Amino acid sequence: MRAIFSSALFILIIAMTPNVYAFQSFFDKPKNLKVLPKDISAADLRETMRGFAFALGARCTDCHVSEKPEGATKPIMIFDRDDKENKKIAREMLKLVADINARVTDLGRGDDHVYQKVTCTTCHRGQKKPVLIQTVLDKAIIEGGADEAIKQYGELKERYYGGHTYDFTPFTLAEYAQTVAKSGDLETGVKLAQFNVDNYPDTAYGQQILGQINMELKNYQAAAKAFEAANKIWPNDFTQGLLKQAQDEARKAQK
Ligand code: HEC
Ligand code: HEC
């Protein structure tokens, strides 16, 4: 009686969770592995695929074909097919990661040394194309100048803040503003530096960079204000010197 009951329950559970069972069977007998070991266990293959999806912020369908068989109402996944570009690239990436790790262990740092492993996440950090915030801003400036860069920065921060995909620290934004200014685009540089201190007024470095770009633009009053703020947050001879210089220039300009 008990046996009948439990097998009935078992069948009920299977009937209720068809997706899970269908899903797991995909991992059981892989037919088309070219890089991963052909005898990989279903559990390891499943973990590897979930790892890819997490590392790249991708879905299974970004790499695998989903197709509606003739007469069917719903599409099904066909994991062994190689139609998608991303799947082919992912295979090359698997080899690349293996190469990197082999070269790292070749450093020969002794038997006791524990080598750090490079993984998909090391580079991708939750995105398909592993770009840095600087890359996004470069593109945004070309599209629509400082305003577009500031808009996109805000949108990304809203979506990704707290994660490891993009670096939103004021130090990095100050560095970036300085790079843009040094490339000759002082107007864009100063807007980004101003945006940075508007959001993070308490970082001495951000204020210092804002002051320095304003000096280049001969906005001596604005420069003095920024150096003064920097010197208040972190008093030191260097920013004190910059402040004095800006004040002198501002006075000269007034005469
Ligand atoms: C970044 C691309 C990528 C993502 C995302 C991805 N896969 Fe894969 N998948 C691959 C690659 C590449 C292979 C083949 C590996 C090889 O050739 O050794 C593969 C192989 C497989 C196989 C074995 C197919 C066979 O029969 O040969 C299964 C099953 C599978 N993936 C399921 C999934 C599932 C489920 C997901 C979502 C959780 C997923 N994959 C997400 C790239 C991806
Ligand atoms: C050393 C850094 C690095 C590592 C580690 C790495 N990738 Fe990549 N990956 C890149 C770069 C860079 C690109 C962009 C290539 C380009 O510009 O065409 C890329 C692109 C891709 C793409 C194409 C995405 C697209 O939209 O064009 C896929 C898919 C991918 N990687 C999968 C993986 C997987 C899976 C792993 C782990 C097995 C991995 N990558 C590990 C650097 C890396």
Side-chain angles (χ1 to χ4, degrees):
M1 179 64 204
R2 207 161 144 195
I4 291 168
F5 176 74
S6 58
S7 60
L9 189 67
F10 185 53
I11 289 164
L12 186 71
I13 289 170
I14 292 183
M16 278 165 60
T17 54
N19 288 334
V20 173
Y21 278 81
F23 205 63
Q24 285 193 336
S25 69
F26 286 126
F27 296 107
D28 268 347
K29 291 190 176 57
K31 294 194 281 289
N32 186 25
L33 296 184
K34 293 185 173 151
V35 183
L36 294 170
K38 291 195 198 314
D39 60 352
I40 190 171
S41 73
D44 285 352
L45 182 58
R46 183 166 173 269
E47 268 323 294
T48 305
M49 292 303 140
R50 281 167 51 97
F52 285 1
F54 273 116
L56 276 73
R59 293 164 187 268
C60 310
T61 47
D62 284 316
C63 296
H64 293 290
V65 182
S66 153
E67 222 175 56
K68 210 152 71 177
E70 224 168 297
T73 50
K74 276 197 202 148
I76 56 160
M77 299 292 301
I78 311 168
F79 290 109
D80 56 340
R81 257 171 51 188
D82 288 346
D83 310 34
K84 292 212 170 171
E85 184 71 15
N86 276 338
K87 185 177 181 188
K88 293 177 207 160
I89 297 174
R91 277 199 179 112
E92 294 311 307
M93 291 276 153
L94 272 170
K95 294 184 213 162
L96 175 145
V97 170
D99 281 354
I100 295 174
N101 285 320
R103 290 185 66 163
V104 169
T105 41
D106 274 354
L107 288 171
R109 301 185 68 182
D111 291 343
D112 293 344
H113 187 79
V114 181
Y115 291 100
Q116 300 305 309
K117 272 218 177 338
V118 167
T119 67
C120 310
T121 303
T122 310
C123 293
H124 282 269
R125 310 174 329 277
Q127 52 184 346
K128 270 178 254 169
K129 285 196 173 56
V131 294
L132 300 174
I133 191 77
Q134 291 90 329
T135 322
V136 177
L137 296 178
D138 280 346
K139 205 164 149 266
I141 288 173
I142 294 168
E143 284 164 20
D147 293 345
E148 183 62 27
I150 288 169
K151 182 175 146 251
Q152 290 191 20
Y153 188 92
E155 286 166 1
L156 288 177
K157 197 169 164 191
E158 183 97 351
R159 178 157 167 218
Y160 290 102
Y161 189 80
H164 60 176
T165 305
Y166 294 110
D167 174 352
F168 296 111
T169 57
F171 181 82
T172 294
L173 189 52
E175 283 282 302
Y176 182 75
Q178 189 185 38
T179 307
V180 171
K182 280 202 171 139
S183 77
D185 189 354
L186 291 170
E187 289 298 338
T188 303
V190 84
K191 278 189 190 164
L192 293 173
Q194 185 65 53
F195 170 68
N196 191 29
V197 308
D198 289 346
N199 283 284
Y200 302 100
D202 296 335
T203 61
Y205 189 67
Q207 296 282 5
Q208 181 199 314
I209 296 297
L210 176 63
Q212 282 169 322
I213 303 174
N214 270 314
M215 284 298 275
E216 294 284 325
L217 282 163
K218 304 197 185 345
N219 298 334
Y220 300 122
Q221 302 273 6
K225 192 176 151 218
F227 290 140
E228 203 174 349
N231 201 54
K232 226 179 241 157
I233 300 158
W234 185 42
N236 64 82
D237 291 347
F238 182 63
T239 35
Q240 191 68 48
L242 290 173
L243 173 59
K244 192 172 170 305
Q245 208 182 328
Q247 285 167 337
D248 289 348
E249 292 292 345
R251 232 171 279 130
K252 263 191 253 164
Q254 268 179 352
K255 276 182 197 158

